[in-house]
Amino acid sequence: MKRIQLPLTDETIKDLHAGDSVLLTGSVITGRDAAHKRLFELIEQGKPLPVSIEGEVIYYVGPAPAKPGHAVGPAGPTSSYRMDKYTPALLDRGLKGMIGKGARSQEVIDSMVKNGVVYFAAIGGAAALISRSIRSAEILAYEDLGTEAIYRFEVVDFPAIVAIDAAGNSVLVK
């Protein structure tokens, strides 16, 4: 098990290999389909993004409402392929990592190799367990999207597996 401090550095990314089990600690941003679509449209229009994505790790999640005393409710990963058409544009703007579940398109993998990026898989069906790793949550943009808004999570020992490394090696079955 590798303990990884976020934000990711290029050296850390180079030392991660498909199949490595990791515990992530630090800051991640979140975003799902609707937020990705809005970010992509801004990029196409040449407009600034409402949040900086450079050097960030994005977690594909729409957390359930928090119960008293918790930062978020259950917060399991969503299927990553739903972000694939938007992902290369975000990687070209400095996104360093992604957390989700499931396979990625060849276009995304090629962009990951080009940009030196890593894709982590979180365990689907473990939303309640994962939420214990999230210590705080702050809405950064698109509050009107509710649970699909862009948040910043502070995580401690967030469990994941390196699903696709920066060399394009993958543990995922297509």
Side-chain angles (χ1 to χ4, degrees):
M1 183 76 62
K2 293 183 178 182
R3 290 187 178 276
I4 305 296
Q5 184 65 47
L6 302 174
L8 291 171
T9 65
D10 290 338
E11 282 193 22
T12 298
I13 291 171
K14 287 177 189 173
D15 287 340
L16 293 173
H17 304 285
D20 287 349
S21 294
V22 298
L23 294 172
L24 304 172
T25 297
S27 176
V28 299
I29 60 173
T30 70
R32 287 182 48 151
D33 317 46
H36 274 72
K37 182 176 188 236
R38 288 185 184 181
L39 293 174
F40 184 75
E41 288 169 351
L42 290 173
I43 290 169
E44 284 187 318
Q45 296 166 9
K47 294 181 178 176
L49 301 181
V51 297
S52 173
I53 61 170
E54 186 151 353
E56 294 284 357
V57 171
I58 193 164
Y59 180 28
Y60 304 140
V61 64
K67 292 181 181 177
H70 297 273
V72 297
T78 196
S79 298
S80 301
Y81 76 88
R82 296 183 356 215
M83 274 53 74
D84 279 2
K85 66 182 173 181
Y86 311 119
T87 298
L90 298 176
L91 298 182
D92 287 345
R93 278 150 189 85
L95 190 67
K96 285 294 187 185
M98 301 159 288
I99 306 169
K101 69 178 181 182
R104 306 307 300 265
S105 69
Q106 190 59 51
E107 182 184 7
V108 169
I109 294 169
D110 292 345
S111 184
M112 288 175 59
V113 171
K114 172 184 148 194
N115 290 289
V117 173
V118 64
Y119 170 56
F120 299 102
I123 300 166
L129 176 64
I130 288 172
S131 69
R132 293 181 193 165
S133 297
I134 302 166
R135 301 301 163 89
S136 68
E138 169 192 10
I139 293 179
L140 300 179
Y142 306 140
E143 187 170 2
D144 62 300
L145 294 177
T147 61
E148 289 198 38
I150 297 176
Y151 289 80
R152 177 167 307 284
F153 286 173
E154 291 298 325
V155 300
V156 175
D157 290 343
F158 183 106
I161 296 167
V162 177
I164 305 172
D165 63 29
N169 302 307
S170 176
V171 297
L172 302 171
V173 177
K174 290 187 179 187

